[in-house]
Amino acid sequence: MSELEGTRTPIEVIERIRDEEYLLDIEGESDKVKRGARSLQKKLNNALRLLSEDLNSKQTHFVLELIQNADDNDYGVGAVPKLTLELRPERLVVVNNEKGFTEKNVHALCSVGESSKVKRSGYIGEKGIGFKSVFTISNAPEIPSNGYHFRFDRADEANLLGYVVPHWCEPVGDARENVTTIILPAKDGVRFSLETLDDLDATLLLFLSKLRQLAIVVADVQITYWRTDRKGVSYLTTKRESTGAPTQVQEMRFVRVAVAFTMSKVMDEKRPDIHTASVVLAIPVDASGAADPQPTSQVFAFLPIRTFGFKFSIQADFILNSSREDIHTDRPWNQLLRNAFR
């Protein structure tokens, strides 16, 4: 980033990305420059095609990516980090009470393989491509945040630069003050319903570093999940509120046991300068504190990956594939963590 970062206005940042990074305004340039720019755009378009075909195996995986981003965000002093998903058939509005977008964040979102996140343990995102998963359900995501208001346009199936080229736009009714909002109009043929959020439950909060509250609002129904930690026990609460019906509240308890391991002999480029890592077991218990094994529990890398047959949940800082849907089994870093609970 140049030394001018922080001096440009939000709209100037968007225009600079369009004109200087993706060379969209080349009409006044020489034929040689035009040919070079079009060649580069074609190559990027082809690379984005490969990305789009192999991004996620499940259409609903984008929800986990949004939760990942929320957990990696920065929050004000005293704020309880929370994410709210407001669902209507024609659009999904995602509201996060983070500090707000910076120029660095915008650049990361408008690129492939770049991230604005510090490379240290506890940050889930690494690849700078997680946000791209929203294109499985929306061709025109919009982001109002901290003075920025821009959108992407993937309506043209042949032009995959829509994944990364931002368009400045004016605020709409769903934009909110002092929060980051992601507005996802549904693609043609797509309708949002509670099934879109089937992967969400209170256990998603079990191993996150910052996010403590997750809410779903659908018509007159609101489901809120939150986590509190007291004396080595994590309490996960689910509250369901609906007009004309009694409020339902459920609580789960997990005893957490952490063991730290030295990772110096298996250092990985994805974990630079990280010499220790922890494996955390979350054992479900009942109200009396007695073990309450579950028939199926997940293995987590901050967010759930998949089940492996354990009756308790396991968390480790595994290195995952680009879609965050599985573990790289051949990396020594992962092998050491895996062997810790064999």
Side-chain angles (χ1 to χ4, degrees), residues 178-206:
N178 303 317
V179 294
T180 291
T181 311
I182 300 175
I183 303 164
L184 301 173
K187 276 184 178 180
D188 289 343
V190 172
R191 283 295 175 266
F192 295 122
S193 68
L194 274 174
E195 291 182 1
T196 308
L197 307 178
D198 269 351
D199 289 334
L200 301 191
D201 61 37
T203 60
L204 287 173
L205 299 172
L206 189 54

Side-chain angles (χ1 to χ4, degrees), residues 151-172:
R151 64 178 176 84
F152 297 92
D153 185 356
R154 269 287 290 114
D156 183 353
E157 291 296 326
N159 182 12
L160 299 185
L161 290 178
Y163 277 117
V164 292
V165 174
H167 302 260
W168 186 265
C169 57
E170 295 305 316
V172 294

Side-chain angles (χ1 to χ4, degrees), residues 66 86 88 90-95 131 134 137-145 149-152 169-176 180-186 192:
L66 295 175
E86 301 175 2
R88 303 196 290 272
E90 74 285 357
R91 69 175 48 208
L92 175 63
V93 178
V94 183
V95 183
F131 177 80
V134 302
I137 49 85
S138 179
N139 279 330
E142 291 184 27
I143 302 175
S145 177
H149 194 118
F150 61 99
R151 64 178 176 84
F152 297 92
C169 57
E170 295 305 316
V172 294
D174 286 314
R176 315 292 166 86
T180 291
T181 311
I182 300 175
I183 303 164
L184 301 173
F192 295 122

Side-chain angles (χ1 to χ4, degrees), residues 13-297:
V13 171
I14 298 302
E15 291 304 317
R16 181 174 181 272
I17 292 172
R18 290 176 54 83
D19 295 341
E20 297 185 21
E21 297 189 18
Y22 293 110
L23 305 174
L24 296 184
D25 185 11
I26 56 173
E27 289 309 312
E29 302 295 337
S30 67
D31 289 343
K32 182 178 180 179
V33 170
K34 289 179 183 178
R35 286 195 301 271
R38 288 167 185 152
S39 176
L40 289 172
Q41 290 169 1
K42 182 178 180 181
K43 289 175 181 177
L44 178 57
N45 197 68
N46 291 338
L48 288 167
R49 187 175 303 281
L50 292 175
L51 169 66
S52 68
E53 291 171 352
D54 195 35
L55 195 55
N56 298 113
S57 62
K58 290 179 63 178
Q59 188 182 61
T60 56
H61 186 83
F62 79 94
V63 179
L64 295 183
E65 296 289 351
L66 295 175
I67 293 172
Q68 165 207 300
N69 287 341
D71 197 58
D72 288 338
N73 286 337
D74 292 325
Y75 295 86
V77 176
V80 177
K82 59 185 177 181
L83 186 72
T84 301
L85 305 168
E86 301 175 2
L87 197 70
R88 303 196 290 272
E90 74 285 357
R91 69 175 48 208
L92 175 63
V93 178
V94 183
V95 183
N96 181 214
N97 65 331
E98 64 142 338
K99 286 183 176 179
F101 267 44
T102 65
E103 181 173 344
K104 221 180 223 186
N105 300 145
V106 176
H107 275 272
L109 216 60
C110 299
S111 68
V112 180
E114 181 180 333
S115 176
S116 61
K117 299 166 186 174
V118 179
K119 302 296 186 185
R120 65 176 183 262
S121 183
Y123 277 70
I124 307 173
E126 301 175 75
K127 318 275 190 313
I129 65 171
F131 177 80
K132 309 306 189 279
S133 64
V134 302
F135 290 101
T136 60
I137 49 85
S138 179
N139 279 330
E142 291 184 27
I143 302 175
S145 177
N146 195 29
Y148 289 94
H149 194 118
F150 61 99
R151 64 178 176 84
F152 297 92
D153 185 356
R154 269 287 290 114
D156 183 353
E157 291 296 326
N159 182 12
L160 299 185
L161 290 178
Y163 277 117
V164 292
V165 174
H167 302 260
W168 186 265
C169 57
E170 295 305 316
V172 294
D174 286 314
R176 315 292 166 86
E177 292 290 334
N178 303 317
V179 294
T180 291
T181 311
I182 300 175
I183 303 164
L184 301 173
K187 276 184 178 180
D188 289 343
V190 172
R191 283 295 175 266
F192 295 122
S193 68
L194 274 174
E195 291 182 1
T196 308
L197 307 178
D198 269 351
D199 289 334
L200 301 191
D201 61 37
T203 60
L204 287 173
L205 299 172
L206 189 54
F207 297 111
L208 294 179
S209 299
K210 300 176 187 175
L211 200 63
R212 289 296 178 268
Q213 184 172 310
L214 180 63
I216 301 168
V217 180
V218 184
D220 62 348
V221 177
Q222 177 163 327
I223 304 170
T224 305
Y225 308 109
W226 69 89
R227 168 184 145 197
T228 54
D229 299 322
R230 299 193 297 272
K231 298 181 179 179
V233 179
S234 291
Y235 298 82
L236 301 182
T237 305
T238 301
K239 179 190 283 188
R240 183 184 180 97
E241 301 168 280
S242 180
T243 303
T247 298
Q248 301 173 23
V249 180
Q250 295 178 315
E251 185 177 76
M252 297 182 288
R253 300 171 177 84
F254 295 84
V255 172
R256 303 163 72 95
V257 180
V259 180
F261 294 89
T262 299
M263 308 299 288
S264 300
K265 294 183 179 180
V266 292
M267 296 295 289
D268 193 284
E269 62 180 4
K270 297 296 184 182
R271 298 292 184 270
D273 303 320
I274 298 174
H275 297 276
T276 61
S278 295
V279 172
V280 183
L281 307 184
I283 302 166
V285 296
D286 61 22
S288 70
D292 184 22
Q294 302 298 308
T296 57
S297 292

Side-chain angles (χ1 to χ4, degrees), residues 269-340:
E269 62 180 4
K270 297 296 184 182
R271 298 292 184 270
D273 303 320
I274 298 174
H275 297 276
T276 61
S278 295
V279 172
V280 183
L281 307 184
I283 302 166
V285 296
D286 61 22
S288 70
D292 184 22
Q294 302 298 308
T296 57
S297 292
Q298 304 235 35
V299 171
F300 289 68
F302 302 99
L303 284 169
I305 307 167
R306 59 185 177 92
T307 59
F308 286 84
F310 297 103
K311 295 187 177 181
F312 49 86
S313 297
I314 298 171
Q315 151 68 25
D317 188 15
F318 291 113
I319 298 169
L320 306 181
N321 60 15
S322 294
S323 65
R324 280 196 44 82
E325 293 180 335
D326 214 342
I327 298 168
H328 281 299
T329 58
D330 60 344
R331 298 182 94 122
W333 176 282
N334 286 342
Q335 291 170 356
L336 192 155
L337 294 175
R338 178 198 63 196
N339 292 340

